[in-house]
Amino acid sequence: MEQFLKSGEAYKASLRDGRRVVVGGELVEDVTAHPAFAPAINGWAELFDAQFDPATQDVTTFVHPEFNARVSTGWLVPRSTADLRRRRRLVDFGTDRTLGVFGRPPDYGPTFMLGFLAEEARLEEREPGAAEKIHAFVEYATKNNLTSADLVTEAQADRSLPPSQNPGRLRVVERRDGGVVLYGAKPVASAALQSHITTIGTLLS
C-alpha cells in the first residue's frame, strides 16, 4: 500500500529548504542544527517516526479511503464519532509523549483546516471558488504529510480605532495569477520555524 508519510529524517531534510531565519542578527543556515531549535525539531521528528512504528502506526496514521494510502491522522477530516475519537487518541499520544508541555505538536496546525471546512459555505459566498481551494489545500497537505503553523491574532494597535482600521492588519493588496500579495503584520507563530506551511486566518469579520 502506498504511504504519504515522512520519516523523522525526511521531515528534518524538508526544513532545509532555504527558509530565512534570523536570530540575534545572524542568518541561521540550518534550523535543524541550531541549538535554539534542534530540540523541538528532534521532538517532532520522533513523532514523524512514530508513523512507521507498528506499535503506534494505527494511532498516528490511517488509511485514507479516497487515496487508498496511509496518511497522517493529523489530516483526518472527522465524519463520524469514531473519527473524532481517532483524532482524540492522536492528541493524547502527542500529549503523553511530551508530558503535556509541548503545546504545538505536528497535529496542532492541521486542526486549523477543520475551521475552513466547517465554514466553507460562508467562505464560498464571500469568495466564489474558495471551497475548491480549501479542498485542494487539504488534499495537497495530506498527500505531502505537511505540518502547519497558524497566524490568527491581529497585531496590537490603537484600541480606540475600529479593528478594520488597524494600520497593521494583514490584508490583500494585490492579486496575481500565482497568488496574492499581503501587507501588514501578524504576531509570531510559535511553530512556524519548524512547519512546512503557515495558515493565515483572521478573527475579524
Side-chain angles (χ1 to χ4, degrees):
M1 177 179 294
E2 190 172 6
Q3 298 188 101
F4 296 135
L5 302 170
K6 286 184 178 70
S7 67
E9 284 302 316
Y11 157 67
K12 289 195 283 187
S14 69
L15 299 182
R16 303 182 188 109
D17 56 1
R19 61 188 58 204
R20 188 172 185 274
V21 178
V22 178
V23 176
E26 296 184 3
L27 188 65
V28 177
E29 293 186 3
D30 182 357
V31 294
T32 69
H34 193 284
F37 313 124
I41 290 173
N42 288 336
W44 274 27
E46 291 178 4
L47 295 174
F48 271 87
D49 281 335
Q51 296 177 140
F52 297 89
D53 186 340
T56 54
Q57 190 175 60
D58 286 340
V59 174
T60 56
T61 70
F62 74 104
V63 177
H64 198 290
E66 182 180 344
F67 307 149
N68 192 30
R70 191 168 286 279
V71 302
S72 168
T73 305
W75 291 101
L76 170 64
V77 178
R79 304 187 186 282
S80 67
T81 302
D83 287 344
L84 290 170
R85 287 174 176 159
R86 182 183 285 272
R87 286 189 62 89
R88 175 59 187 266
R89 286 196 296 271
L90 178 66
V91 172
D92 289 345
F93 173 76
T95 301
D96 291 345
R97 289 286 289 264
T98 61
L99 301 180
V101 299
F102 200 98
R104 297 292 186 269
D107 59 274
Y108 168 80
T111 304
F112 199 85
M113 62 87 181
L114 298 179
F116 287 113
L117 290 171
E119 296 293 333
E120 66 175 305
R122 292 176 59 189
L123 293 170
E124 181 70 21
E125 289 179 1
R126 297 179 61 175
E127 182 183 335
E132 181 180 355
K133 294 175 184 176
I134 292 169
H135 286 272
F137 161 70
V138 173
E139 178 176 344
Y140 177 80
T142 302
K143 287 184 174 180
N144 288 277
N145 200 186
L146 299 186
T147 57
S148 173
D150 64 82
L151 291 169
V152 181
T153 308
E154 303 293 341
Q156 294 181 349
D158 185 347
R159 294 186 178 182
S160 67
L161 295 174
S164 61
Q165 295 180 23
N166 180 344
R169 183 184 182 189
L170 196 64
R171 56 193 180 278
V172 176
V173 295
E174 184 181 345
R175 295 182 181 275
R176 299 177 179 176
D177 291 339
V180 296
V181 177
L182 303 176
Y183 178 83
K186 287 278 188 179
V188 65
S190 57
L193 182 137
Q194 62 203 61
S195 294
H196 300 111
I197 54 177
T198 298
T199 308
I200 301 174
T202 181
L203 298 176
L204 305 176
S205 59

